[in-house]
Structure formats: C-alpha cells, structure tokens
Amino acid sequence: MTTKRLADIAKTIRSKNAGVDKITFDIIFRTEDEYELVRRSGVITRATISELYNLRQDRITDFEEFDPAFAIKFSILRDRPSGSPGDPDIFGAQQYAPLMGIDIPI
C-alpha cells in the first residue's frame, strides 16, 4: 500500500490555545479532493488521536470534520492550565508535530 504523510497533503497543521484548559488543533486542506482523501481514509479519528497523544478519549472534547473549510478540527483538555507551573507550552502552539507524520493511504 502506498502512503503519503499528512504533512505532505495538508495545507496547514496547527495547534493553539482554546482557553486556559484546552488546546485546539486544525488540519486544513487546499482542495476538497485532498480533504476527502484523508477523511475517507478513516485514519484520523478520536481513537487514533487518543493513541497518538496517549490520551483517554474523554480528554478529546471536540472532534469535527468541517466540510465547508476542508478541515478536521479537534480539541483536547490540557494536563494543567495554560501558564501554570510546569506547563511546557503556554500557547499550545507546539503540540501539532505528531500529526505531521501520520501516514495516509493513497
């Protein structure tokens, strides 16, 4: 089976704060065809995100395939509030990296 890394398909893969207790993630595609390829592959789900980030699924508060924007979006609960002692990423902007290496069957 031939695969392509998500980073080579998506236009934007990012993470950022969604309040003090959540981080939100966006995977945005240039075209509907790219979006549909990834969406239909079934590779990006609550379960795979849970496994990738070593989280219980109930820590994923939102998960949506947003057709109008050709985007997959999800939010997770933080381990601790943004900016609190021990918080390794105050802005939540460095949490997207594991998504980049996801292999998508093509």
Side-chain angles (χ1 to χ4, degrees):
M1 173 188 333
T2 304
T3 63
K4 201 170 191 180
R5 287 177 354 125
L6 182 61
D8 296 328
I9 301 171
K11 171 183 157 186
T12 303
I13 302 173
R14 66 183 177 201
S15 60
K16 58 188 174 184
N17 276 346
V20 297
D21 295 329
K22 289 184 185 179
I23 298 173
T24 192
F25 296 77
D26 301 312
I27 306 167
I28 305 168
F29 301 90
R30 286 177 192 85
T31 68
E32 184 175 8
D33 288 342
E34 291 168 332
Y35 167 67
E36 287 296 331
L37 171 73
V38 174
R39 191 183 69 74
R40 282 192 308 251
S41 77
V43 172
I44 300 175
T45 64
R46 282 181 180 265
T48 59
I49 296 303
S50 175
E51 184 176 326
L52 184 65
Y53 283 92
N54 196 27
L55 301 169
R56 291 186 330 266
Q57 283 193 42
D58 64 351
R59 295 224 9 239
I60 301 170
T61 61
D62 305 284
F63 186 94
E64 183 171 356
E65 295 170 342
F66 190 62
D67 297 344
F70 309 142
I72 299 170
K73 306 169 73 62
F74 63 94
S75 298
I76 63 171
L77 292 173
R78 287 176 160 272
D79 289 332
R80 58 182 55 91
S82 175
S84 65
D87 178 14
D89 185 4
I90 292 172
F91 299 111
Q94 299 173 13
Q95 303 307 308
Y96 66 90
L99 296 170
M100 296 175 71
I102 293 175
D103 287 325
I104 306 297
I106 56 169

